[in-house]
């Protein structure tokens, strides 16, 4: 009954999340369902001492990254910087390379730390107008935005401040630049593979004389009509560059030279500088870049306080959604029947913990419909075992980090994924019209890239 309870709980989590029920409600209820079906276990104690403790621990560790990322994305959007960057890239590449222009516009912004949700709202009006001028079927537009926002800049390219690239750091003692060669290679596979697929689909549509099509305007279309005082491209791109550059400067030059012996004291968590360096670097890089964005665009803001407040509030739902999934995973991992699942996962590739880790993260990301949620569940439940196995076999912790991040960006983009559902709503498209191409560029090709990294990593690259 215990194993059946876990499987039923996971199945209901995936189904009900797809039906639109918030994970803040689903996670604790379905975790406690699994507890009840496991037999004589204390339900309330599990909720307060396991679920809530894990939820709180996740918030303590990662809330600054969600908060600062949301604020940075909001001030980039409200200042007009995000729009300037997108329009400049579109101008450079032109109508003939419309798909690539959309992908790169999204990629530049997300690699610079702008939230993928902010990017989708900011880019859509520009991308929609470009697709209409190029007479490319609008049904391909969600996949182009997904490719630029949900894939190579989220999990692959070294240095990305995405939360998916930050979560593995405490488990493997790494930083956001882990395995730079393999990460870059995986990112290029996603970028060029996804773009080639969409170009091929557009060419096939053109051969059938299928154009942009007739589509009703969405609420997001109206934002393009705003003729605000946009910043120049140099001013717009500077904060994006600063996130990446400062992240590297703090990671490799500033933080390693700090005298942080005090971190060994109990009041500071009895930890080490190496354990917190990656998160500290992102915090400082985003903070400086937010200040820089405000300073460069002060007169362009209608209400700076409102922009900052809106970004702040926008960080709360994502952090608590993910933290609730972490709490759910902690409860499942505490159940006696979970040992069966744990042993099965660890035994998938007994001589290759990298591959086992990739399967575990992908499966859990697919079930939860969340890259960060699935990864967090997998690492909190099995991270220590995977790290120990890798150390015993002489496998690089940087490789473990990169494969973990890459794996979170595979099956996460199944139809019930919140970002997919939001993207389709923004663009006015449906699963029936657009999901097949989203699946190829955001699920299939990233999985291929992950497999390539695992194979190359096994040969010591």
């Amino acid at each position: 009954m215990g194993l059946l309870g876990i499987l039923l709980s996971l199945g209901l989590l995936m189904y009900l999340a797809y039906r639109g029920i918030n994970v803040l409600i689903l996670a604790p209820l379905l975790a406690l369902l699994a507890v009840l079906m496991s037999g004589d276990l204390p339900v309330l104690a599990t909720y307060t001492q396991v679920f809530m403790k894990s939820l709180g621990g996740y918030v303590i560790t990662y809330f600054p990254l969600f908060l600062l990322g949301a604020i940075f994305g909001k001030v980039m959007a409200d200042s007009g910087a995000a729009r300037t960057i997108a329009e400049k890239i579109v101008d450079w590449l032109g109508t003939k390379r419309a798909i690539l222009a959309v992908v790169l516009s999204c990629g530049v912004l997300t690699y610079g730390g702008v939230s993928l949700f902010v990017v989708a709202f900011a880019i859509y009006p520009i991308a929609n107008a470009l697709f209409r001028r190029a007479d490319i079927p609008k049904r391909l537009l969600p996949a182009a935005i997904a490719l630029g926002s949900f894939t190579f800049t989220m999990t692959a390219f070294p240095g990305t401040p995405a939360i998916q690239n930050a979560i593995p750091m405490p488990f493997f003692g790494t930083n956001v630049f882990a395995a730079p060669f393999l990460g870059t290679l995986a990112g290029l596979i996603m970028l060029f593979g996804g773009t080639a697929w969409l170009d091929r689909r557009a060419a096939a549509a053109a051969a059938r004389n299928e154009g942009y099509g007739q589509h009703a305007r969405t609420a997001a279309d109206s934002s393009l009509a705003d003729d605000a005082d946009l910043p120049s491209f140099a001013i717009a791109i500077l904060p994006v560059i600063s996130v990446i550059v400062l992240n590297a400067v703090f990671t490799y030059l500033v933080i390693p030279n700090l005298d942080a012996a005090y971190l060994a004291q109990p009041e500071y968590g009895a930890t080490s500088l190496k354990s917190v360096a990656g998160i500290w670097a992102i915090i400082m890089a985003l903070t400086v870049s937010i200040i820089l964005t405000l300073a460069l665009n002060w007169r362009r803001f209608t209400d700076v306080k409102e922009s900052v407040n809106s970004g702040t509030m926008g960080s709360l739902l994502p952090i608590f959604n993910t933290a609730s999934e972490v709490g759910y995973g902690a409860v499942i991992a505490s159940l006696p029947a979970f040992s069966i699942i744990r042993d099965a996962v660890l035994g998938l590739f007994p001589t290759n913990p990298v591959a086992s880790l990739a399967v575990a993260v992908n499966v859990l990301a697919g079930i939860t419909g969340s890259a960060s949620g699935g990864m967090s569940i997998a690492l909190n439940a099995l991270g220590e075992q995977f790290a120990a196995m890798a150390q015993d076999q002489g496998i690089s912790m940087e490789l473990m980090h990169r494969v973990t991040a890459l794996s979170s960006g595979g099956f996460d983009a199944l139809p019930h994924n919140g970002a997919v559902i939001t993207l389709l709503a923004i663009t006015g498209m449906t699963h029936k019209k657009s999901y097949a191409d989203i699946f190829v560029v955001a699920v299939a090709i990233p999985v291929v890239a992950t497999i390539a990294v695992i194979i190359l990593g096994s040969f010591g690259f």
Side-chain angles (χ1 to χ4, degrees):
M1 284 295 291
L3 182 59
L4 177 61
I6 292 174
L7 296 178
L8 176 62
S9 175
L10 288 171
L12 286 173
L13 179 65
M14 182 164 57
Y15 173 74
L16 294 175
Y18 177 69
R19 300 295 297 177
I21 300 178
N22 195 288
V23 73
L24 287 174
I25 297 294
L26 285 180
L29 290 179
L30 294 177
L32 296 180
L33 171 65
V35 172
L36 287 171
M37 294 185 67
S38 293
D40 188 21
L41 293 174
V43 175
L44 287 177
T46 300
Y47 176 66
T48 60
Q49 307 307 118
V50 179
F51 183 92
M52 288 305 301
K53 184 178 179 180
S54 296
L55 181 153
Y58 186 88
V59 172
I60 289 170
T61 301
Y62 296 110
F63 179 65
L65 305 190
F66 279 85
L67 173 66
L68 294 171
I71 293 174
F72 181 63
K74 184 62 176 172
V75 297
M76 283 289 291
D78 288 357
S79 68
R83 179 175 164 185
T84 292
I85 292 169
E87 290 185 346
K88 179 59 69 173
I89 293 174
V90 167
D91 288 343
W92 284 341
L93 294 176
T95 303
K96 292 183 179 179
R97 304 296 296 168
I99 291 174
L100 181 61
V102 172
V103 172
L104 290 182
S105 297
C106 295
V108 167
L109 290 170
T110 49
Y111 192 42
V114 182
S115 161
L116 61 89
F117 293 103
V118 172
V119 168
F121 275 105
I123 295 297
Y124 166 69
I126 302 164
N128 190 38
L130 181 61
F131 268 50
R132 186 185 290 111
R133 288 201 303 269
D135 205 25
I136 296 172
K138 187 182 179 182
R139 60 184 173 81
L140 299 178
L141 180 53
I145 295 175
L147 174 58
S149 304
F150 304 175
T151 62
F152 54 93
T153 58
M154 185 176 83
T155 64
F157 281 173
T160 174
I163 189 65
Q164 292 80 6
N165 194 34
I167 291 172
M169 295 189 299
F171 294 92
F172 303 117
T174 50
N175 59 53
V176 291
F177 294 91
F181 169 75
L182 292 174
T184 301
L185 177 63
L188 293 176
I189 291 173
M190 295 180 205
L191 171 59
F192 290 112
T195 303
W197 171 264
L198 293 177
D199 282 341
R200 179 174 173 270
R201 294 278 284 167
R208 297 191 302 268
N209 292 319
E210 178 190 357
Y212 174 82
Q214 297 295 321
H215 303 281
R217 288 176 63 85
T218 70
D221 284 303
S222 61
S223 63
L224 192 61
D226 181 18
D227 295 324
D229 177 21
L230 298 177
S232 67
F233 179 73
I235 289 177
I237 199 68
L238 190 57
V240 173
I241 295 173
S242 76
V243 171
I244 301 167
V245 173
L246 290 175
N247 201 347
V249 169
F250 286 125
T251 296
Y252 292 111
L253 299 178
V254 177
I255 294 177
N257 294 311
L258 295 177
D259 181 8
Y262 57 86
L263 288 172
Q265 299 173 19
E267 56 265 39
Y268 295 108
T271 186
S272 66
L273 183 60
K274 184 177 181 180
S275 298
V276 299
I279 291 177
W280 283 10
I282 299 175
I283 288 173
M284 290 189 286
L286 283 172
T287 299
V288 173
S289 298
I290 289 169
I291 295 170
L292 180 62
T293 306
L294 293 173
L296 291 175
N297 299 282
W298 188 264
R299 64 182 176 81
R300 297 183 177 90
F301 287 98
T302 303
D303 187 339
V304 171
K305 181 179 69 175
E306 175 59 27
S307 294
V308 174
N309 286 347
S310 179
T312 299
M313 297 306 294
S315 70
L316 298 182
L317 185 59
I319 180 68
F320 277 99
N321 275 343
T322 305
S324 293
E325 290 169 342
V326 172
Y328 171 86
V331 171
I332 297 299
S334 72
L335 302 178
F338 181 75
S339 61
I340 301 172
I341 298 174
R342 180 196 62 210
D343 293 342
V345 171
L346 294 176
L348 284 174
F349 302 96
T351 61
N352 193 338
V354 183
S356 295
L357 176 61
V359 172
V361 174
N362 257 305
V363 169
L364 287 168
I367 289 171
T368 60
S370 167
S372 55
M375 181 199 310
S376 297
I377 292 172
L379 290 177
N380 279 282
L382 299 168
E384 290 184 7
Q385 291 95 321
F386 281 126
M389 291 170 64
Q391 190 169 22
D392 290 343
Q393 297 181 29
I395 296 173
S396 165
M397 291 296 117
E398 291 202 353
L399 176 61
M400 296 291 285
H401 173 126
R402 187 55 53 205
V403 169
T404 301
L406 290 170
S407 301
S408 74
F411 289 173
D412 70 306
L414 292 178
H416 61 292
N417 173 268
V420 170
I421 293 170
T422 301
L423 176 59
L424 291 173
I426 292 170
T427 58
M429 292 289 98
T430 64
H431 281 82
K432 182 178 180 180
K433 291 179 180 178
S434 297
Y435 183 72
D437 293 296
I438 294 175
F439 178 85
V440 172
V441 303
V443 178
I445 293 175
V447 168
V448 170
T450 303
I451 294 172
V453 167
I454 293 171
I455 293 172
L456 291 173
S458 67
F459 287 103
F461 284 92

